Amino acid sequence: QALITTSIILGTTMVTTSHHWLMTWVGLEINMLAILPMISKPKTTRSTEATTKYFLTQAVASIMLLMASTTNAWQTGTWSITQIDNVYSSTIMTLALATKMGAAPFHFWLPEVLQGTSMTTAMIISSWQKIAPTTLMYMISNNTKTPTLILVGVLSILVGGLGGINQTQMRKMMAYSSISNTGWTIMMMAISPNIAVFNMLMYIIMIIPTFMMMSSTSTKTLQNISTMWTTSPMLTYLMTLLMLSTSSLPPLTGFMPKLVMLNELIKQELLILATTTALMSLINLLFYMRIAYLSAMLTSPTTSTSTTKWRHQTKQPNMTTTLIPTALLSLLAIPAIPN
């Protein structure tokens, strides 16, 4: 376990600190190989399938990344990350990183992988594993094609909204939520990379306590959400607030990155894009409100008609030290909004 954790941290650190494409590729490979045992840990056919899907998708993305960097080195004579001047290389690189992040139209692996593994691993894939590709996209943002980024971004926001509506599994809903947020990040990379990184950081802060609560209360489906108050009433209300925050409703933290991003789009006179993305976010609001309704409106004494799930008290690690600060940041960080 310690070796796996160290390798995951090492892989991401290598990617974020290196200037050479080969070292970046090595870092991404270490990261990918380290998380495979974590995905396959539950020892079920579904987790094995999830591991295979994750490996194949990430391997294809790594090959695309290596091909783009090699082509760029061949054409320009440099392996520097910031000097990716070849137009084909930059486009292939953007698509490779979009695949690694789980953005549409390369998103198909993400819901399946999250559904097939444990809550803790799903949390790592949705948060920590996004850091390396986001950093790389930030570093090459000056040389990428704006239409490509905006197209991938808008498509991801749409797919993330429409895909999550029909789901009953919480992990799949979180996966589509992640796809939608990745879309916002990629779209903003074309306009303001700093705001894009800020958005990803805020999403990571919000998604960590959400997965922690789902893990500690054994909540896997929407039906479990409706009977979650039997396990912990406090966490039930906190889950409601977190869902409202993730859906970007003021005055909660989630509203902050959306406000900054829409403000930047209007500043750049991209009114049609701002309106389109804001309307697409309302689709996401639908399934977040569904979770909020099930968790808050069906608490005692207005209880659900569904049968209460028998939850075994498993030995859960003490998450309070991480859960409380991240939950507070996820809800009350709005006064820290940048000017």
Side-chain angles (χ1 to χ4, degrees), residues 219-247:
T219 302
K220 291 174 183 163
T221 62
L222 287 178
Q223 186 185 358
N224 296 161
I225 282 270
S226 64
T227 56
M228 191 174 158
W229 61 272
T230 56
T231 313
S232 172
M234 188 64 224
L235 286 186
T236 308
Y237 291 118
L238 199 54
M239 176 65 102
T240 307
L241 287 170
L242 273 170
M243 284 298 108
L244 295 176
S245 181
T246 317
S247 67

Side-chain angles (χ1 to χ4, degrees), residues 6 10 20-21 40 82 109 111 115 122 126 129 138 158-159 161 173 180 236 243 250 252 268 278-279 286 331 333:
T6 310
L10 175 70
H20 196 283
W21 274 118
S40 61
T82 50
W109 61 273
Q115 185 58 32
S126 301
Q129 293 298 89
Y138 179 81
L158 183 64
V159 166
M173 289 175 96
S180 178
T236 308
M243 284 298 108
L252 301 168
Q268 303 287 346
L279 288 171
L286 188 65
L331 299 174

Side-chain angles (χ1 to χ4, degrees), residues 61-78:
S62 293
I63 291 164
M64 285 169 69
L65 188 139
L66 196 59
M67 184 185 81
S69 55
T70 310
T71 309
N72 186 65
W74 177 40
Q75 293 286 331
T76 62
T78 177

Side-chain angles (χ1 to χ4, degrees), residues 9-51:
I9 294 167
L10 175 70
T12 306
T13 311
M14 278 180 71
V15 173
T16 51
T17 54
S18 61
H19 295 279
H20 196 283
W21 274 118
L22 275 182
M23 288 304 291
T24 303
W25 176 75
V26 169
L28 287 168
E29 290 301 298
I30 291 170
N31 200 318
M32 178 189 75
L33 293 171
I35 204 164
L36 292 178
M38 289 187 76
I39 300 171
S40 61
K41 194 181 177 187
K43 299 292 180 290
T44 60
T45 48
R46 175 156 256 183
S47 68
T48 311
E49 185 186 332
T51 311

